[in-house]
Amino acid sequence: MNLDKNLLYYKLPQMNQIKKLEKELAPLRSELNNHKLYKTLATVTDIKIFMEQHVFAVWDFMSLLKALQNHLTTTTVPWTPVANPATARFINEIVLGEESDVNEFGEPKSHYEMYLDAMHQVQASTKQVEDFLTLLNAEKSIENAAKKVQLNAETLKFINYTFHIIATNAPHKIATAFTFGREDVIPDMFFQIINQSKTESDSYSKLTYYLNRHIELDGDEHGPLSLKMVEELCGNDQQKWNDVLEVSKQSLQHRIALWDGIYNLIKTNNLVEA
């Protein structure tokens, strides 16, 4: 048997694992893609409320990304070669796109900074997230910072789960939360946000650019790269693939819970204003 055939036989079990995962996750993916939140985004005020909570998911996504970079590439001096150059390349390409992408004017910015710009455009408040990060830098405690800024309970649970996964120090688990809880679902989620919103697009052009940019990168580039990264990290280790299924389900459940929380905030605000 030649080398190409050996490689094919090695890859087939992993390809089957991905197909099995996608089948197992289909109900949760469907629940997320058809979430009632999307139809509530009918006014600029609704968009503001959404962004003021979703920005925390944009921020903690960057922490998942940097955790992967720390595990899969050499980020210390003196430099030494990494164990797997293929996964190092995957994550470095994703870091390039997420940490130093270009905005609609061709200016280098992280996606978090682009999101803050979009919030400023619709006059959504960035005070809570900025105060949160200031406190976090000073106290190094997510719980204390969240309590002081009175962060919404569902948003805090979402963040806590992200950092729980990071704290496992298990690259395949971190990559799973990154891939199946973020990169692999973002295009579908953001299509729903763009398609369901009834507000005038000019009033939130920066948000539309941000969402479209994510759809472009995650659907065409980052999503497939992330799947390859998970395959490389798990290989033919069945226990790791079991972990992938568990973390994938939990990640999607926490995203749905976050959407539930934002939906309730919007509905409560609409009742107050009625």
Side-chain angles (χ1 to χ4, degrees):
M1 186 178 294
N2 63 32
L3 181 61
D4 289 341
K5 287 184 178 179
N6 278 323
L7 182 61
L8 176 62
Y9 282 118
Y10 175 74
K11 286 292 185 182
L12 278 175
Q14 297 177 34
M15 292 167 62
N16 290 335
Q17 291 283 6
I18 294 294
K19 289 180 180 178
K20 180 182 176 182
L21 271 170
E22 290 175 346
K23 184 176 180 180
E24 290 275 356
L25 298 177
L28 285 170
R29 290 282 298 267
S30 178
E31 184 179 352
L32 183 59
N33 290 336
N34 295 286
H35 199 281
K36 56 191 176 182
L37 168 66
Y38 305 124
K39 292 184 179 179
T40 66
L41 301 176
T43 68
V44 173
T45 299
D46 299 334
I47 294 287
K48 288 180 184 180
I49 295 171
F50 169 80
M51 295 182 78
E52 287 167 4
Q53 299 303 313
H54 180 242
V55 67
F56 286 91
V58 175
W59 165 73
D60 79 344
F61 171 83
M62 297 303 295
S63 294
L64 270 178
L65 175 62
K66 300 308 286 187
L68 278 175
Q69 190 177 35
N70 288 340
H71 280 287
L72 303 180
T73 71
T74 301
T75 57
T76 57
V77 176
W79 178 88
T80 55
V82 295
N84 192 324
T87 53
R89 180 178 177 85
F90 295 157
I91 199 63
N92 280 333
E93 288 188 13
I94 295 172
V95 167
L96 176 64
E98 299 290 345
E99 194 172 34
S100 52
D101 199 6
V102 292
N103 66 10
E104 67 271 36
F105 303 115
E107 302 166 338
K109 285 195 175 184
S110 70
H111 282 190
Y112 172 76
E113 292 166 311
M114 288 166 60
Y115 201 85
L116 289 185
D117 288 344
M119 292 180 71
H120 293 147
Q121 183 184 42
V122 300
Q123 298 181 334
S125 175
T126 59
K127 178 174 171 50
Q128 188 180 43
V129 70
E130 289 173 338
D131 286 351
F132 173 82
L133 291 183
T134 298
L135 289 165
L136 189 57
N137 284 332
E139 301 182 11
K140 310 301 180 186
S141 168
I142 290 175
E143 291 292 337
N144 288 346
K147 184 176 181 179
K148 288 182 178 179
V149 301
Q150 298 181 320
L151 188 59
N152 195 48
E154 288 80 3
T155 306
L156 176 57
K157 288 177 183 177
F158 185 87
I159 293 173
N160 279 340
Y161 179 73
T162 297
F163 283 89
H164 162 71
I165 291 298
I166 291 172
T168 66
N169 282 320
H172 71 288
K173 291 183 179 181
I174 301 171
T176 296
F178 182 87
T179 300
F180 295 100
R182 307 294 182 106
E183 295 292 87
D184 197 42
V185 299
I186 281 174
D188 288 342
M189 286 193 313
F190 286 177
F191 268 129
Q192 293 294 337
I193 293 171
I194 290 174
N195 292 337
Q196 301 266 5
S197 177
K198 303 179 183 68
T199 60
E200 292 296 323
S201 60
D202 287 347
S203 64
Y204 58 99
S205 61
K206 288 184 180 293
L207 175 61
T208 303
Y209 178 86
Y210 169 88
L211 297 178
N212 280 323
R213 186 65 178 146
H214 255 296
I215 290 168
E216 176 186 354
L217 287 175
D218 297 333
D220 297 340
E221 299 176 27
H222 294 178
L225 284 175
S226 297
L227 289 174
K228 289 180 182 178
M229 177 172 58
V230 172
E231 290 177 345
E232 291 285 344
L233 289 171
C234 292
N236 293 323
D237 187 326
Q238 188 56 51
Q239 181 55 55
K240 287 185 177 180
W241 283 109
N242 292 342
D243 293 341
V244 167
L245 177 59
E246 180 182 8
V247 173
S248 297
K249 286 183 175 181
Q250 291 173 352
S251 297
L252 289 172
Q253 288 163 350
H254 277 83
R255 173 71 70 168
I256 291 167
L258 174 64
W259 268 198
D260 288 343
I262 299 175
Y263 170 84
N264 290 333
L265 287 174
I266 292 173
K267 295 300 288 186
T268 299
N269 181 74
N270 289 344
L271 287 173
V272 170
E273 292 187 348

